[in-house]
Amino acid sequence: MGETEQRPTAGSRLGAQENAGISTLEHGQKPPVTPPGKLVSIKIQMLDDTQETFDIPQRAPGKVLHDAVCNHLNLVEGDYFGLEFPDHKKMMVWLDLLKPVMKQIRRPKHVVVKFVVKFFPPDHAQLQEELTRYLFALQVKQDLAQGRLTCNDTSTALLISHIVQSEIGDFDETIDREHLAKNKYIPHQEALEDKIMEFHRNHMGQTPAESDFQLLEIARRLEMYGIRLHPAKDREGTKINLAVANTGILVFQGHTKINAFNWAKVRKLSFKRKRFLIKLRPDVNSSFQDTLEFLMASRDFCKSFWKICVEHHAFFRLFEEPKPKPKPVLFSRGSSFRFSGRTQKQVLDYVKEGGHKKVQFERKHSKIHSIRSLTAQPSEQHTEVPKQSARAYGDNNDAAAVQSCRQGKELKASTEDTGQHKSPSLKKSPKEGRKVDGAVVSTVEEEEEPAKDRMQQNRPQSQQPSTGSLTGSPHLSELSINSQGGPSVANMTLSPNLSPDAKQSSPLVSPLLNDPSCIRADDEEEVKRKRFPTEKSYFMAKEVATTERTYLKDLEVITSWFQSAVSKEDCMPETLKNLIFSSFEPLHKFHTGFLKEIEQRLVLWEGRSNAQIKGDYQRIGDVMLKNIQSMKQLTVHLRKHNEILMELENGIKNSRKLETFCRDFELQKVCYLPLNTFLLRPLHRLMHYKQIMERLCKHYPPSHIDFRDSRAALAEISEMVAQLHGNMIKMENFQKLHELKKDLIGMDNLVIPGREFIRLGSLSKLSGKGLQQRMFFLFNDVLLYTSRGLTASNQFKVHGHLPLYGMTMEESEEEWGVPHCLTLRGQHQSIVVAASTRAEMDKWTEDIQMAIDLAEKSSGPAPELLASSPPDNKSPDETTVDQESEDDLSASRTSLERQSPHRGNTTVHVCWHRNTSVSMIDFSVAVENQLSGNLLRKFKNSNGWQKLWVVFTNFCMFFYKSHQDNHPLASLPLLGYSLTLPSESENIHKDYVFKLHFKSHVYYFRAESEYTFERWMEVIRSATSSASRPRALSHKEPHAY
């Protein structure tokens, strides 16, 4: 027998060992089983009607072929797609991923396998990657042409207009007529051409990515979206069509849906010869079980439809892939078929965790530009679906972009050549740095990706890429970094071709943050540490100074930046100007002198003068006592902050010009928090003084020289806090209601007297489409549930509300088969919700029960909340929940219009993407746990540590180059993160190091002393673990506005 010829691999040609023992697979992936043997060629027809040939081993299962196609396309979310082919009876069937390909495709030379969309999710916003959405758009285009996607003329013209916009760009009557004459999207298109062009005229400036997004937004509302009809007959012999969707099994007569069986109603699916059987769960009002029977053309037709039903149920309803049944010992009964592959939840989690190597997909006009490539080498001009050569997974992919910041800044933006014919392309050039908003930004670390959300208008000198910025993309970045290398937390816009959920980019990859010159040597740090005092009281005094610096910068946001902006715009009444600035300017002047005194005392304490010899300056209590006593004179200004906050909100409510001005100011980089938060800073600062003095008095023995002054200062500041604390609690609730109001649309009167915020967070709501993520907002009188809106503002659209008066709550895991499940029964409607974990469920249960008790003790039901949105009174198992009719399609045209930008990294958005929740008590704890100071951050690929000025507030770490900077370079929201100490295996042999990690993201930070280390651990732990019990609300003392 002859020996099998060994083909040289790319690694062997380069001299690598045969088996290095290192896997190059992404985390969580398993290598497909590829049996050795003879290769066979399979022809695959892509969604753009091009054909590709794949060589696979003769005994390879279907998964090998499916994975080969997905790898060829750089497709991460390949689980939504399937391979379809005609069997020996010319019936179109799906390729079974577990069975050998050759046992399914008998004559591969004469068969063309089609790569098409198999599973259509209820909302295309669940598709994380732009490439996936592009392929879905191609499927919609194909279904229109083949007559599968039927709708009225208006909807058809609107769909085609978006396709035309994505292919040739903005409207031009001559070009449009020529293009429509050459391209037939539907039969008898001529009658609709005028209407198509009328719609196309309205899409000016819309990028191809936006067009794809809009196309799917319209298509998903259509009754026939993603529907494949299977002919059948009912028991009476009437001809019908069966179909399966994400919601369940549908029954059509012609193209009209006449019945639907939601997955929640279906107990069992089976088939016997030509009969397809649906066994339903017993009805609430009857004890018998109902079994429905449909007759199909043949056993093969029946089994094929049964299989696709099983797969749809598993993909959309199960949390993980079902385990294979154990093989019977003697004989088997029934089919052994099971769903193979990841469920939708597993796909979403995988992409969110960033468990894949990101390849940027750049969507371009596909008819004017007709080439997609990963490299500069041209490919066939007719190709529209992106391809990737084997080399893109090999050598180039492993090369890290290791360049200095100066070199990265000198790299120029690559300019698109509009003269050449190109189609949407994928670009991956790690050796050239990373391309962001037309500029290449080099990074120091291979593992960390730059944040994708940039502020484009701040970079007029750089070339904008053709994809533009899709502010309506339904994703959130882990953080934001501005276009100048720093973060723009407020000024973020969202890019459609990137999934911030999936990538969750690192906040610490700005060129400024990765400047090699900032790496501090260990020897240098040790020398500096030995120079300064080591006693605990010194570091407490230093904390006063570091936090005072941040507080002074926060005051300057109002007294300098906001005042300067107001003076340039005639939008604020003089009385409101005088009220705000006459109160804040005296505070700023006083605290400037206060900070100077503290810094002078620290200089003496550290020994940078001869005064420390006398021993009179190694204390801080005397400075605190003197200034706190002087601070009492400013109480009159602090009492005005209640009035300031209310008057500003009233002014915004009554003046569109002032509202626009304040919203635009919040988008400036210097305004890193909501504007009204800065108005409450002086009240919060008093609590910080009190906490520091409490720690200082606890540390000092009574005999210490500084104890008497420290205790006197504590008594003075405690008195001030007690006088203002009640007012501050009311203002925090008032501020939180107005902040939430900005995040919500579809409601009118959120802020009313007596309403108190309790908790917000992400829960899954059981509806006709299965479990769908919703954002819930709990108040002391009502529970709102919302979904992420498909608008440029990224706000949350209110779907419905449940008054708490008369509500009951019960656990219902067994009834619905969903973990951590609750049923909330109101007087007019009931909903079923599920939490991500048992801990989250317990928090919601506790808070909802507390709110119900408060509502019962109140005088009666709350007033109507939603003046502009009717309540959702549909039960969880109705098939029409959250579905729109074709009559609503015209409204979708404006869903991606360029609206005013909106802060996209608020606590609400972080909770949505981290699948967690926070309560009002958490916000109050966050106010008390604020900290500023220097931290050393470790690089992943070196032993260097980088010094950063870090401000922790509002559950988030903000990073600066130094305390003198006016705005942060990057931010890292910590909700959902875990705080631990590094283990021995991590080889970090330094003191005072703590570790932050969330899924695949890991950061190490190092404090300068044991005290500062404990303080950082204390405040960060307050953000990473919620408070155990929400603050009790009193119905007797409502907040009066």
Side-chain angles (χ1 to χ4, degrees), residues 653-668:
K653 182 179 179 180
N654 298 325
S655 170
R656 179 63 61 86
K657 190 174 182 181
L658 180 58
E659 178 188 9
T660 303
F661 168 78
C662 291
R663 185 182 59 222
D664 291 344
F665 181 79
E666 281 193 330
L667 295 176
Q668 293 187 28

Side-chain angles (χ1 to χ4, degrees), residues 781-832:
D781 60 340
V782 71
L783 176 67
L784 298 179
Y785 56 95
T786 68
S787 66
R788 252 285 283 276
L790 300 174
T791 64
S793 58
N794 283 304
Q795 292 166 289
F796 289 82
K797 180 183 178 182
V798 177
H799 278 239
H801 70 285
L802 282 78
L804 299 181
Y805 187 82
M807 178 186 286
T808 59
M809 175 178 57
E810 60 186 38
E811 293 190 21
S812 51
E813 292 187 17
E814 294 184 1
E815 180 181 354
W816 297 103
V818 178
H820 323 309
C821 182
L822 291 172
T823 299
L824 304 174
R825 304 187 189 280
Q827 291 183 335
H828 303 294
Q829 68 180 115
S830 299
I831 62 171
V832 179

